[in-house]
Amino acid sequence: MCLGIPGKIHSIRDDAGLTMGVVDFGGVRRDVCLQYVADEVAVGDYVIVHVGFAITRVDEEEAQRTFEILKEMSQLDELEWMADLVEKGKGAGETA
Amino acid sequence: MRYLAEYRDADIAKTLIARIKARATRQWTLMEVCGGQTHTIVRQGLDELLVGAVEMIHGPGCPVCVTPLEQIDKALAIAARPGVIFTSFGDMLRVPGSDCDLQQVRARGGDVKVVYSPLDALALAQRNPDKEVVFFAVGFETTAPANAMAVWRARDLGVSNFSVLVSHVTVPPAITAILDAPDNRVQGFLAAGHVCAVMGWEEYEPIAAKYKVPIIVTGFEPVDILEGISMAVAQLEDGRHEVENQYVRSVRRQGTPPARALVAKVFELANRQWRGIGEIPMSGLRLRPEFAAYDAEQKFGVAGLTVSEPAACKAGDVLTGRIKPPQCLAFGTACTPERPLGAPMVSTEGACSAYYNLARYRTAESTEVTP
Ligand code: SF4
């Protein structure tokens, strides 16, 4: 929960006053709150995401490097079950 | 600018280790605060490679590990109630409470759901107006902005069947508590890069000055950590004690101001129990009084619950660096990742689980980064 996962912003939208977006994590897409970085990001930028919230912007190179390292550290379990959910068509980011 | 290939290059690690050893005129004692860093250090054997120059003590930076038993018991009590959907990050499900864990509560019929974001828990509350949805708001400064937003949004949107069980901890008071301990041996710290991405490092500056300890904001991969250690050793050898940033790439001195601002609006500082360590003054966050309606402890009347921790678990000594996990008598016998006695054995960020898995890592990855 503590290590952030880097991803690429795929789209940005306003959700009743909250800046939300879809972020792509190495192929797995998920809804992410972009409110805290709204002033400094655009579609295509990379952000570090903690528990569904973008906390800081990073450059692409750093994002990719961090992603590889997390994979190596097997710290991407969260993404794995997110991917599972997408496959099962539930997609909401929660599990029974 | 560095490239991935270069980062994973064992030669850089070797050069850094040689530089640290050449620079150290004695063995220095450093503490890494972040559980992710502990994981890397133990897994890559960095601590063993640095013997003679640096001893690494593993700090309390695993949020799962330091969540006190009484907060787990409160979670279990709330989760077992009819009409409640109890939501949590996945890491908390197997943390043992006094007599069971959240997974067992679920097996007995409790409605326990894992969510990825606290906003998912809020959405669940909106979809289930006839249920009470409770979110277990744990973690360091990295999860606080997310949890603050969920509460803020709940109030904005008028969602009254949502509440949070708060067990937030913050890093700087823990560093101060470690330095204040009469038997403290730590001479310098690697602060957690990701925590500082949110909070910046202004809070560390008075600590470095008062206690005369170098504090290096450090990333969590092998070369980051070695670079952080090298910077700390250079300061110690020069007699300097400053806050320096190794993890420059995404951390700014002021952190992420909008996130800090909302955390400060929703939460206030409070005394907090740390599992195995005890109460550290002003080391946690609790909801401000104006958000009392979202406080699960008040809603479910569990605020008064207190418990004592199992005597066999030496988590407190592990988390403050007095002992290394294998020195705990329960390590690998009464306590394993399959049947954990204490929280540091549960989470992959926990020191006990990192040591337990060491043999497996080393055999599986002997051809990788380990210099
Ligand atoms: S090995 Fe288990 S019992 Fe011993 S300190 Fe670690 S978590 Fe506690």
Side-chain angles (χ1 to χ4, degrees), chain B residues 312-316 318 323 325 328-332 335-336 340-345 352:
Chain B
C313 176
K314 299 295 171 214
V318 169
I323 63 167
C328 167
L329 290 177
F331 179 85
C335 182
T336 61
L341 206 58
M345 192 57 99
C352 297

Side-chain angles (χ1 to χ4, degrees), chain B residues 301-339:
Chain B
V302 293
L305 197 144
T306 54
V307 282
S308 51
E309 297 176 6
C313 176
K314 299 295 171 214
D317 290 338
V318 169
L319 296 171
T320 49
R322 278 186 204 95
I323 63 167
K324 296 277 183 331
Q327 289 167 266
C328 167
L329 290 177
F331 179 85
T333 53
C335 182
T336 61
E338 288 70 40
R339 295 198 50 195

Side-chain angles (χ1 to χ4, degrees), chain B residues 145-168:
Chain B
N147 295 337
M149 182 66 85
V151 173
W152 185 261
R153 273 301 263 184
R155 195 179 64 168
D156 255 13
L157 301 172
V159 184
S160 60
N161 63 327
F162 176 75
S163 59
V164 288
L165 175 61
V166 180
S167 189
H168 262 296

Side-chain angles (χ1 to χ4, degrees), chain A residues 8-66:
Chain A
K8 183 179 187 171
I9 301 177
H10 175 261
S11 62
I12 301 181
R13 65 173 196 280
D14 178 276
D15 184 349
L18 197 65
T19 307
M20 296 290 294
V22 172
V23 172
D24 187 309
F25 302 94
V28 180
R29 286 186 181 169
R30 207 208 171 272
D31 241 18
V32 164
C33 179
L34 299 174
Q35 184 72 30
Y36 292 132
V37 292
D39 290 345
E40 46 176 331
V41 298
V43 169
D45 284 347
Y46 285 81
V47 284
I48 300 265
V49 176
H50 284 273
V51 296
F53 283 71
I55 286 306
T56 192
R57 224 193 99 165
V58 282
D59 61 35
E60 176 174 358
E61 199 177 280
E62 180 179 351
Q64 259 148 19
R65 190 178 48 76
T66 308

Side-chain angles (χ1 to χ4, degrees), chain B residues 17-18 50 67-68 104 119 137 152 163-164 168 172-174 176 181 206 210 221 244 248 261 297 304 317 346 365:
Chain B
I17 288 168
L50 289 168
T67 300
Q104 286 164 296
L119 288 182
W152 185 261
S163 59
V164 288
H168 262 296
T176 309
K210 178 177 172 199
E221 56 188 274
E244 270 186 287
V248 272
E297 291 193 28
D317 290 338
V346 177
E365 307 202 349

